[in-house]
Amino acid sequence: MYRAPVEDIAFTLKHVAGLKPALDAGTFGDLGEDLVDAILAEAGRFASEEVALLYKVGDEQGAVLKDAAVTMPPGWKALYRRWIDGGWNALSAPEEFGGQGLPTMLGVAALEMWNSAAMAFGLGPTLTMGAVEALDKHASQALKAKYLEKLVSGEWMGTMNLTEPQAGSDLNALRARAEPAGDDTYRIFGQKIFITYGEHDLTDNIVHLVLARLPDAPAGTRGISLFLVPKFLVGDDGTLGARNDVFCSGLEHKLGIHASPTCTMIYGDGFEGASPGAIGWLVGEENRGLACMFTMMNNARLAIGMQGVAVAEMATQKAIAYANERRQGKAATYGGPGMAPIVHHPDVQRNLLTMKALTQIARAISYSCAHAIDCARVSHGDAAHWRDRANLLTPLAKAFSTDVGVEIASLGLQVHGGMGFIEETGAAALYRDARIAPIYEGTNGIQAIDLVARKLPLGGGEHVHGYIAELAAVANSVRTSNLRDFGRTADSLDQALDDLTEATRFLQGLLADGRSDAALAGATPYLRLFSLAAGGAYLARGALADQGRLPLCRFFAENLLGEVRALKERVIGGAESLADAGKALIST
């Protein structure tokens, strides 16, 4: 059973990601550590004692579609009601519309706990929170007044409708169309697939944010607009009116996250005799919808990163508990009767420590990204610096954390041995859930491309080097601490950060020379290289603040951080062989 690691979460927020210095400086007004601790403790209690209890029924029974209506698993509707009654949906939402206006850092920390307890549950609010941010930044005052308060409270939920059968990650191929109706509304026609929580019975209304093209729109992504399309139309007094012409025609049968309804949505097909055309309202400017949607997508990418952290945490907890119970063979460190608990075997210890270290690294990167988002929002003179930092860390938070989620869930299966392959232990379910996260909200390959092509040039190409210099300062603090228990940590960190610097300048040079294909060939290993090097520094920062964390930091530095050197060689020397060998794969 999941137990929220409130102490680890609070420590990482305060002493690794930067929340405590911000609180001490009054960055977030009257917010203090006591309130932060109370919020985290209650979120941990709710996740452990209420959400986690319904994980198994959600996984086994899933969401069910009948007559265009989706019914959630038993108990989930009541759970969601208790969740919004607790104010959790409004945690980081704008105060103007009933939100609590708390830092993003607290929102993502709570999100980690919901997703550890039941990833399929945590997914739904993720999209609603993203919709709130997109509407708050881009919608008209009339739309904000009508929809935001109920989205902020969670009384209504939101969705994000991008993908179509012929258009996955390439939004140039979108065909959904929007026709002006002459009364400030539009009629939306088309099909969207893989829409998370597109239909369900948790709320009375669902607010869809839909990408579509106007009749005279330019080709490509420059001709995409964003529209708000509610499941039920809303009167001026906020009451629900007629059903809109949008419905769920299919529910995907998925590898994991069974309780999260993944829907095929049909717009403008004359549902239940309605006049064809789903009624929608423009969000932002015509043909500028992608910019509006990216507000929501960037929010979602960090949230998906938290899902990777969440599954990694749950898999690690489960594996450690099993390793202390399961007995097999003999071990030099075990002096008790009978066979030794497998936690005494060095290879099992290596797996468990790898799981713990990678989980903490992913958490630190993601929380640091959230910290940068918060600082960009409240800072004045250095807001641009923090926006660049948030942009730099977002692909790391999304891609590395979700890759790690899959890796750690797989290691958890390995620790369980044959029982890990059996559903009753729950280890397999975590692997099934985790596997989607590297795919959606921009595959991790796309995140790597974004990091290299768009984020390395930030600040004239120097922002990334300023960040590396901050990490190097941590390595220097390790060296000057004279703590013998750090072992070779300082040397390992120095080497990893030198490798990161060399790989970074190499890629920046390729981009400057117009050799983007060669640069992108190394994008995926570069993202992992970057994350491991940064993660080593974050573990060291934590160990400097609490020496009880030093053994894990040293284990990572001396056992896992050496991967950075091999990754650098792939970045610098792998492009030509990749291109040559890749030709054999191309059939057309």
Side-chain angles (χ1 to χ4, degrees), residues 302-549:
L302 175 56
I304 298 310
M306 294 317 306
Q307 291 174 2
V309 177
V311 174
E313 173 62 38
M314 183 61 205
T316 300
Q317 287 190 23
K318 188 177 287 291
I320 291 174
Y322 184 83
N324 277 281
E325 296 170 358
R326 170 67 170 163
R327 293 173 177 269
Q328 189 74 50
K330 298 182 181 299
T333 60
Y334 179 67
M339 293 186 291
I342 63 172
V343 73
H344 286 269
H345 298 307
D347 189 60
V348 174
Q349 292 177 350
R350 177 184 56 80
N351 281 331
L352 294 174
L353 290 169
T354 298
M355 295 168 76
K356 284 180 65 70
L358 292 178
T359 300
Q360 290 194 18
I361 285 172
R363 179 181 288 131
I365 290 172
S366 298
Y367 287 5
S368 295
C369 181
H371 177 61
I373 291 171
D374 286 329
C375 289
R377 183 175 296 133
V378 300
S379 297
H380 299 290
D382 55 355
H385 165 84
W386 287 112
R387 281 195 297 272
D388 285 351
R389 180 61 49 85
N391 287 332
L392 177 67
L393 293 181
T394 294
L396 273 63
K398 194 280 179 182
F400 179 73
S401 298
T402 55
D403 282 343
V404 157
V406 175
E407 291 173 27
I408 292 176
S410 181
L411 284 173
L413 283 170
Q414 192 70 21
V415 171
H416 280 77
M419 290 304 296
F421 208 65
I422 306 301
E423 288 289 353
E424 67 184 75
T425 65
L430 293 172
Y431 184 84
R432 290 190 284 101
D433 286 351
R435 193 57 192 85
I436 184 58
I439 297 173
Y440 58 18
E441 302 310 334
T443 65
N444 285 358
I446 290 174
Q447 302 304 314
I449 291 171
D450 177 57
L451 173 63
V452 170
R454 297 188 180 90
K455 304 308 168 57
L456 291 190
L458 290 172
E462 287 305 309
H463 183 86
V464 63
H465 295 290
Y467 177 64
I468 295 171
E470 294 173 21
L471 302 177
V474 177
N476 186 61
S477 294
V478 170
R479 187 177 302 282
T480 58
S481 71
N482 294 318
L483 293 172
R484 295 182 62 186
D485 287 345
F486 268 120
R488 301 190 308 275
T489 297
D491 291 339
S492 297
L493 280 174
D494 285 343
Q495 182 63 63
L497 293 171
D498 286 346
D499 289 337
L500 173 58
T501 298
E502 185 179 351
T504 300
R505 294 204 181 280
F506 174 79
L507 291 174
Q508 288 176 325
L510 290 178
L511 293 173
D513 291 341
R515 300 175 59 196
S516 60
D517 284 353
L520 296 185
T524 291
Y526 176 74
L527 187 147
R528 185 173 181 88
L529 179 166
F530 200 145
S531 301
L532 290 173
Y538 285 137
L539 284 178
R541 183 180 290 168
L544 288 165
D546 174 7
Q547 291 183 34
R549 295 171 179 267

Side-chain angles (χ1 to χ4, degrees), residues 89-90 93-94 97-99 128 132 147-156:
N89 198 76
F97 300 100
T128 302
V132 166
Y147 290 95
L148 270 184
E149 185 174 338
K150 291 189 176 180
L151 284 170
V152 164
S153 70
E155 183 177 345
W156 296 345

